[in-house]
Amino acid sequence: MTRPKSIAAALVLAAFASTAHAQLVDKKVLTLQAAKKIAAAAEADAKKKNARVVIAIVHDGGNLILLERLDDTQVASVNVGIGKARTAAIFRRSSKEFEDQIRTGRIAALALPGATPLQGGVPIIFEGQVIGAIGVSGETPSQDEEIAKVGASVVK
Amino acid sequence: MRILRIMAVVLALPLSLAVSAQAQVVAKTALTLDGAKRTITAAVAEAKRINAPGGAIAVVDDGGNLMALERLDNTFAAGANISIGKARTAAVFKHPTKAFEDIINRGRTTMVALTDFTPLQGGVPIIFEGQVIGGIGVSGAASAQQDEEIALAGAIVAKDFAAKGANGARSKVTYIDREKVASAFAKGAPLIEVEEYKVHASRREAAGMAEVHMRETDVIYVLEGTATFVTGGTVVDGKVTTPGEIRGTGIRDGETRRLAKGDVIIVPERTPHWFKEVEAPFLYFVVKPISPSGGSK
């Protein structure tokens, strides 16, 4: 039993040794090419549903990298779509969670800065890390989210 | 006088309402997402061609609302919003943003007080038939000058495909009255030629060359006269005259038919055909569906 413990200690030491050099980390970043694939999948799903939506894709910092407004989509959805994507990216969870919180009584969540607490924003996750998010706006909240999920699921 | 004037107004009012009832709306050419995407594609190609270090490219509609955006890898994050602002400014003010940057730089500083206004070079309107139908904005290239060059490369392409979309077969009903048709048949002339099809009012006074169309099917309806028509086989001395078109002096081992008034014959694309002998005047109506070219679609 002692041996595994010492191995564990060694591992901890090794970890410290490596963090001594670790003022920087490698971060996986969403490329425009990947964003296009995500948008294409979401667009295909939207067309299948006859949905008129805006599809917005942001980086992990919440900044827009790609947006598509399908023909005949209400223009107000541009900012809502970006807001949902941004919320999912910087809070690292589906924007639906905030909508649910508010609906179940946590009205204070409305005060969160930079949050669009409306269902339809989904984080894009790669190897457990949130590398960006997709936001969809234009149809019903659940339909928006379904389309966003189809897009987000492209990244595995 | 006053009463008269009032009466005139009262009388005129319903009339003017009736007239304007037919003109409360106008048809407006609008950019589609496909159009916006193609604009961006052209701009991205230009950015790569001139080795721009980055670029966020935004396309908005005529109301300034974002339709599509792409931020090239490694472009600074703020570029996204700046490109939207430039595109929006160019669209809703109907001028390249450089015009406003110049005005302000020359001393009209008060102009920066305008709201929702990004007076920075790199936004240009997208214009179709003299109307501003949207705007493209670029941010994040090597300089404001380069931003604008990329935007212009996108805007120019938009003009091209817009023409196809608006005048193309799917979007518009085409009516050609009998006088125009008759005068076309009198000399043998095309009635309409668009991306998807051609319609010709053809007239032959003599035998023709052997022909092969790589992308056009000929649907022929004979209106007058007779002709000896050869199809299939091999073209003799075949030469490419224009892209997709082969002409030759005749056809070897083809199938020969006698065509007369009322006949219909359909020659698929890539099939040799030849009006070997013609009893003039030989008039025939031809519809030519064009199959999409392999590369571009």
Side-chain angles (χ1 to χ4, degrees), chain B residues 81-90 92-93 95-106 108-124 138 144 147-148:
Chain B
N81 276 336
I82 299 171
S83 69
I84 297 170
K86 288 179 180 180
R88 193 174 159 77
T89 303
V92 301
F93 289 86
H95 277 91
T97 48
K98 182 179 188 300
F100 304 110
E101 173 155 1
D102 288 348
I103 291 169
I104 292 164
N105 290 346
R106 268 192 249 110
R108 196 166 178 231
T109 319
T110 49
M111 207 170 190
V112 299
L114 283 170
T115 53
D116 209 352
F117 184 57
T118 306
L120 299 168
Q121 183 175 11
V124 294
V138 177
D147 286 347
E148 188 176 52

Coordinates of all heavy atoms in Angstrom, one line a residue, chain B residues 81-90 92-93 95-106 108-124 138 144 147-148:
Chain B
N81 N -17.2 43.4 -34.2 CA -18.1 44.5 -34.0 C -17.8 45.7 -34.9 O -18.7 46.4 -35.4 CB -18.2 44.9 -32.5 CG -19.1 44.1 -31.7 OD1 -20.1 43.5 -32.3 ND2 -18.9 44.0 -30.4
I82 N -16.5 45.9 -35.1 CA -16.1 47.0 -36.0 C -16.6 46.8 -37.4 O -17.1 47.7 -38.1 CB -14.6 47.3 -35.9 CG1 -14.2 47.6 -34.5 CG2 -14.2 48.4 -36.9 CD1 -12.7 47.7 -34.3
S83 N -16.4 45.5 -37.9 CA -16.9 45.2 -39.2 C -18.4 45.4 -39.4 O -18.8 45.9 -40.4 CB -16.4 43.8 -39.6 OG -17.1 42.8 -38.9
I84 N -19.1 45.0 -38.4 CA -20.6 45.2 -38.4 C -20.9 46.7 -38.5 O -21.7 47.1 -39.3 CB -21.3 44.5 -37.2 CG1 -21.1 43.0 -37.2 CG2 -22.8 44.8 -37.2 CD1 -21.5 42.3 -35.9
G85 N -20.2 47.4 -37.7 CA -20.4 48.9 -37.6 C -20.1 49.5 -39.0 O -20.9 50.4 -39.5
K86 N -19.0 49.1 -39.6 CA -18.7 49.7 -40.9 C -19.7 49.3 -42.0 O -20.2 50.1 -42.8 CB -17.3 49.2 -41.4 CG -16.1 49.7 -40.6 CD -14.8 49.1 -41.1 CE -13.6 49.7 -40.3 NZ -12.3 49.1 -40.8
A87 N -20.1 48.0 -42.0 CA -21.1 47.5 -43.0 C -22.4 48.3 -42.8 O -23.1 48.8 -43.7 CB -21.3 46.0 -42.8
R88 N -22.8 48.4 -41.5 CA -24.1 49.1 -41.2 C -24.0 50.6 -41.6 O -25.0 51.1 -42.2 CB -24.2 49.0 -39.6 CG -25.6 49.3 -39.1 CD -25.6 49.0 -37.6 NE -26.7 49.7 -37.0 CZ -28.0 49.4 -37.1 NH1 -28.3 48.3 -37.8 NH2 -28.9 50.2 -36.6
T89 N -22.9 51.2 -41.3 CA -22.8 52.6 -41.7 C -22.9 52.8 -43.2 O -23.6 53.7 -43.7 CB -21.5 53.2 -41.1 OG1 -21.5 53.0 -39.7 CG2 -21.3 54.7 -41.4
A90 N -22.2 51.9 -43.9 CA -22.2 52.0 -45.4 C -23.6 51.8 -45.9 O -24.0 52.5 -46.9 CB -21.2 51.0 -46.0
V92 N -26.7 52.1 -44.2 CA -27.8 53.0 -43.9 C -27.5 54.4 -44.3 O -28.4 55.2 -44.4 CB -28.2 52.9 -42.4 CG1 -28.7 51.5 -42.1 CG2 -27.1 53.3 -41.5
F93 N -26.2 54.7 -44.4 CA -25.9 56.1 -44.9 C -25.6 56.1 -46.4 O -25.3 57.1 -47.0 CB -24.6 56.7 -44.2 CG -24.9 57.0 -42.8 CD1 -24.8 56.1 -41.8 CD2 -25.3 58.3 -42.4 CE1 -25.1 56.4 -40.4 CE2 -25.5 58.7 -41.1 CZ -25.4 57.7 -40.1
H95 N -23.2 55.3 -48.3 CA -21.9 55.7 -48.8 C -20.8 54.9 -48.2 O -21.0 54.3 -47.2 CB -21.6 57.2 -48.3 CG -22.3 58.2 -49.2 ND1 -23.5 58.7 -48.9 CD2 -21.9 58.9 -50.3 CE1 -23.9 59.6 -49.8 NE2 -22.9 59.7 -50.7
P96 N -19.7 54.8 -48.9 CA -18.5 54.1 -48.3 C -18.1 54.9 -47.0 O -18.2 56.1 -47.0 CB -17.4 54.3 -49.4 CG -18.1 54.6 -50.6 CD -19.3 55.3 -50.3
T97 N -17.7 54.1 -46.0 CA -17.4 54.7 -44.7 C -16.2 55.7 -44.8 O -16.1 56.6 -44.0 CB -17.1 53.7 -43.7 OG1 -16.2 52.7 -44.2 CG2 -18.4 53.0 -43.2
K98 N -15.4 55.4 -45.8 CA -14.2 56.3 -46.0 C -14.7 57.8 -46.2 O -14.0 58.7 -45.8 CB -13.4 55.9 -47.2 CG -12.2 56.7 -47.5 CD -11.4 56.2 -48.7 CE -10.0 56.9 -48.8 NZ -10.1 58.3 -49.0
A99 N -15.8 58.0 -46.9 CA -16.3 59.3 -47.1 C -16.4 60.0 -45.8 O -16.1 61.2 -45.6 CB -17.6 59.3 -47.8
F100 N -17.0 59.3 -44.8 CA -17.2 60.0 -43.5 C -15.9 60.2 -42.7 O -15.7 61.2 -42.0 CB -18.2 59.2 -42.7 CG -19.5 59.0 -43.4 CD1 -19.9 57.8 -43.9 CD2 -20.3 60.1 -43.7 CE1 -21.1 57.6 -44.6 CE2 -21.5 60.0 -44.4 CZ -21.9 58.7 -44.9
E101 N -15.0 59.1 -42.8 CA -13.7 59.3 -42.2 C -13.0 60.5 -42.7 O -12.4 61.3 -42.0 CB -12.8 58.0 -42.4 CG -11.4 58.2 -41.9 CD -10.7 56.9 -41.5 OE1 -11.3 55.8 -41.7 OE2 -9.6 57.0 -41.1
D102 N -13.1 60.7 -44.0 CA -12.4 61.9 -44.7 C -13.0 63.2 -44.2 O -12.3 64.1 -43.9 CB -12.5 61.8 -46.2 CG -11.6 60.7 -46.8 OD1 -10.8 60.2 -46.0 OD2 -11.8 60.3 -47.9
I103 N -14.3 63.2 -44.1 CA -15.0 64.4 -43.7 C -14.6 64.8 -42.3 O -14.3 66.0 -42.0 CB -16.6 64.3 -43.8 CG1 -17.0 64.2 -45.2 CG2 -17.3 65.4 -43.1 CD1 -18.4 63.7 -45.4
I104 N -14.6 63.8 -41.4 CA -14.2 64.1 -40.0 C -12.7 64.5 -39.9 O -12.4 65.5 -39.2 CB -14.5 62.9 -39.2 CG1 -16.0 62.7 -39.1 CG2 -13.9 63.0 -37.8 CD1 -16.5 61.3 -38.6
N105 N -11.9 63.8 -40.6 CA -10.4 64.1 -40.6 C -10.2 65.5 -41.1 O -9.2 66.1 -40.7 CB -9.6 63.1 -41.4 CG -9.6 61.7 -40.7 OD1 -10.0 61.6 -39.5 ND2 -9.2 60.7 -41.4
R106 N -11.0 65.9 -42.0 CA -10.8 67.3 -42.6 C -11.3 68.4 -41.7 O -11.2 69.5 -42.0 CB -11.4 67.4 -44.0 CG -10.5 67.0 -45.1 CD -11.0 67.4 -46.5 NE -11.3 66.2 -47.2 CZ -12.6 65.8 -47.6 NH1 -13.6 66.5 -47.2 NH2 -12.7 64.7 -48.3
R108 N -14.5 68.2 -39.7 CA -15.9 68.3 -39.3 C -16.1 67.3 -38.1 O -16.8 66.3 -38.2 CB -16.9 67.9 -40.4 CG -18.3 68.3 -40.1 CD -19.2 68.3 -41.3 NE -20.6 68.7 -40.8 CZ -21.7 68.0 -41.0 NH1 -21.6 66.9 -41.8 NH2 -22.8 68.4 -40.5
T109 N -15.5 67.6 -37.0 CA -15.4 66.7 -35.9 C -16.8 66.4 -35.3 O -17.0 65.4 -34.7 CB -14.5 67.3 -34.8 OG1 -13.4 67.9 -35.4 CG2 -14.0 66.3 -33.8
T110 N -17.7 67.4 -35.4 CA -19.0 67.2 -34.8 C -19.7 66.0 -35.4 O -20.6 65.4 -34.7 CB -19.9 68.4 -35.1 OG1 -19.8 68.7 -36.5 CG2 -19.5 69.6 -34.3
M111 N -19.3 65.5 -36.5 CA -19.9 64.3 -37.1 C -19.8 63.1 -36.2 O -20.6 62.2 -36.4 CB -19.4 64.1 -38.5 CG -20.4 63.4 -39.4 SD -19.8 63.4 -41.1 CE -21.2 62.8 -41.9
V112 N -18.8 63.0 -35.4 CA -18.7 61.8 -34.5 C -19.8 61.7 -33.5 O -20.0 60.7 -32.9 CB -17.3 61.8 -33.8 CG1 -16.2 61.7 -34.8 CG2 -17.2 62.9 -32.8
A113 N -20.6 62.8 -33.4 CA -21.7 62.8 -32.5 C -22.9 61.9 -33.0 O -23.8 61.6 -32.3 CB -22.2 64.2 -32.2
L114 N -22.9 61.6 -34.3 CA -23.9 60.8 -34.8 C -24.0 59.4 -34.1 O -22.9 58.8 -33.8 CB -23.7 60.5 -36.3 CG -24.0 61.6 -37.3 CD1 -23.5 61.3 -38.7 CD2 -25.5 61.8 -37.3
T115 N -25.2 58.9 -33.8 CA -25.2 57.7 -33.1 C -25.2 56.5 -34.1 O -25.6 56.7 -35.3 CB -26.5 57.6 -32.3 OG1 -27.6 57.9 -33.1 CG2 -26.5 58.5 -31.1
D116 N -24.8 55.4 -33.6 CA -24.8 54.2 -34.5 C -24.1 54.4 -35.8 O -24.6 54.2 -36.9 CB -26.3 53.7 -34.8 CG -26.3 52.2 -34.9 OD1 -25.2 51.6 -35.0 OD2 -27.4 51.7 -35.0
F117 N -22.9 54.9 -35.6 CA -22.1 55.4 -36.8 C -20.7 55.0 -36.6 O -20.1 55.3 -35.6 CB -22.3 57.0 -36.7 CG -21.7 57.7 -37.9 CD1 -22.0 57.4 -39.2 CD2 -20.8 58.7 -37.6 CE1 -21.5 58.2 -40.2 CE2 -20.2 59.5 -38.6 CZ -20.6 59.2 -39.9
T118 N -20.1 54.3 -37.6 CA -18.7 53.9 -37.5 C -18.0 54.5 -38.7 O -17.9 53.9 -39.8 CB -18.6 52.3 -37.6 OG1 -19.4 51.8 -36.5 CG2 -17.2 51.9 -37.4
P119 N -17.5 55.7 -38.6 CA -16.9 56.4 -39.7 C -15.5 56.0 -40.0 O -14.6 56.8 -39.9 CB -17.1 57.9 -39.3 CG -17.0 57.9 -37.8 CD -17.5 56.5 -37.4
L120 N -15.3 54.7 -40.2 CA -13.9 54.2 -40.4 C -13.8 53.5 -41.7 O -14.7 52.7 -42.1 CB -13.5 53.2 -39.3 CG -13.5 53.8 -37.9 CD1 -13.5 52.7 -36.9 CD2 -12.4 54.8 -37.7
Q121 N -12.8 53.8 -42.5 CA -12.6 53.2 -43.8 C -12.7 51.7 -43.8 O -12.1 51.1 -42.9 CB -11.3 53.7 -44.4 CG -11.0 53.2 -45.8 CD -9.7 53.7 -46.4 OE1 -8.9 54.3 -45.7 NE2 -9.5 53.5 -47.7
G122 N -13.4 51.1 -44.7 CA -13.5 49.6 -44.7 C -14.9 49.1 -44.9 O -15.2 47.9 -44.9
G123 N -15.9 50.1 -45.0 CA -17.3 49.7 -45.3 C -17.7 50.2 -46.6 O -17.5 51.4 -46.9
V124 N -18.4 49.4 -47.4 CA -18.9 49.9 -48.7 C -20.3 49.4 -48.9 O -20.6 48.3 -48.5 CB -18.0 49.5 -49.9 CG1 -16.6 50.2 -49.8 CG2 -17.8 48.1 -50.0
V138 N -15.3 45.5 -43.4 CA -14.2 44.6 -43.1 C -13.3 45.3 -42.1 O -13.1 46.6 -42.1 CB -13.3 44.4 -44.4 CG1 -12.1 43.6 -44.1 CG2 -14.2 43.7 -45.4
A144 N -6.5 50.3 -42.9 CA -7.8 50.6 -43.3 C -8.0 50.6 -44.8 O -9.1 50.1 -45.3 CB -8.1 52.1 -42.8
D147 N -8.5 47.0 -45.6 CA -9.9 46.6 -45.2 C -10.9 47.0 -46.4 O -11.7 46.2 -46.7 CB -10.4 47.4 -44.0 CG -9.7 47.0 -42.7 OD1 -9.1 45.9 -42.7 OD2 -9.8 47.7 -41.7
E148 N -10.7 48.2 -46.9 CA -11.6 48.7 -47.9 C -11.5 47.9 -49.2 O -12.5 47.6 -49.9 CB -11.4 50.2 -48.2 CG -12.5 50.7 -49.1 CD -12.4 52.2 -49.3 OE1 -11.3 52.7 -49.6 OE2 -13.4 52.9 -49.1

